[in-house]
Amino acid sequence: MSSGQARSSGRLCLCAVLAFMASAGPAFLWNAPSNFDTSRRAAVAATLLASTRARAAGDWRQEWLDKKARQPGVKTLPDGLMYKVSKEGPAGGPSPLIDTRCTCTYYGLLPSGKLFDRGTIDFAPKTVIAGWAEAMMLMKEGDEWDLYIPAELAYGSQGVGDKIPPNAPLEFRLKIDKVGVPEQGFLGLFR
């Protein structure tokens, strides 16, 4: 059964339950008084419907993460961060600590596949989203990983303006080009 068929089947079941509740009157609530009015029934039905829709709206995010987790070579960490090693750097290469500045090349995709950012930049793990920080400290210089980051390890419920919607899981290709990059000098003119 496809996810679309499952959603349709779920909606059909919900409609059947709501129709039963409406026809049963107060009997669908065991302890409801006999004078239980239809507006209360409607409020209960609306609450049930709203919670089902809210749950269904969140399902696509988890479905996307589950699909990524099933891809060959993807590893899932206890907090939900997933990664796949695309390219390994030299054996024994240095790994950054939380405050070690690195030069990294990356691009970021929304679950739709839309590119929202890319570049090469210097930063330390402590200055980026939790999913990146965790991955960076597991990587070594020259490593290139695909990251699949749940929303709570990315930008969470805030999102980022009109670029990243709230509660969006994200996909990144991240390469650590150099570990241990010095701070940039005045106006970025000196290193």
Side-chain angles (χ1 to χ4, degrees), residues 77-93:
L77 300 176
D79 62 0
L81 174 65
M82 293 181 279
Y83 69 93
K84 179 179 179 178
V85 177
S86 301
K87 194 183 309 181
E88 287 197 52

Side-chain angles (χ1 to χ4, degrees), residues 92-140:
S95 293
L97 299 174
I98 193 75
D99 58 353
T100 306
R101 287 178 57 84
C102 303
T103 299
C104 296
T105 301
Y106 70 94
Y107 65 82
L109 303 172
L110 296 173
S112 66
K114 180 182 178 188
L115 179 74
F116 66 84
D117 196 13
R118 77 161 107 206
T120 299
I121 191 166
D122 296 347
F123 55 84
K126 70 180 179 184
T127 64
V128 293
I129 60 174
W132 266 35
E134 182 178 4
M136 286 177 72
M137 292 186 293
L138 296 172
M139 297 171 75
K140 62 185 183 299

Side-chain angles (χ1 to χ4, degrees), residues 29-104:
L29 294 174
W30 293 280
N31 295 323
S34 59
N35 64 350
F36 192 74
D37 64 52
T38 54
S39 62
R40 286 187 184 171
R41 273 198 312 266
V44 170
T47 301
L48 289 172
L49 181 59
S51 67
T52 301
R53 282 188 178 159
R55 204 169 37 250
D59 287 350
W60 70 267
R61 294 172 183 94
Q62 190 57 50
E63 286 175 15
W64 183 84
L65 289 167
D66 291 344
K67 181 179 174 186
K68 296 298 182 182
R70 289 189 299 269
Q71 291 180 351
V74 172
K75 296 181 175 126
T76 303
L77 300 176
D79 62 0
L81 174 65
M82 293 181 279
Y83 69 93
K84 179 179 179 178
V85 177
S86 301
K87 194 183 309 181
E88 287 197 52
S95 293
L97 299 174
I98 193 75
D99 58 353
T100 306
R101 287 178 57 84
C102 303
T103 299
C104 296

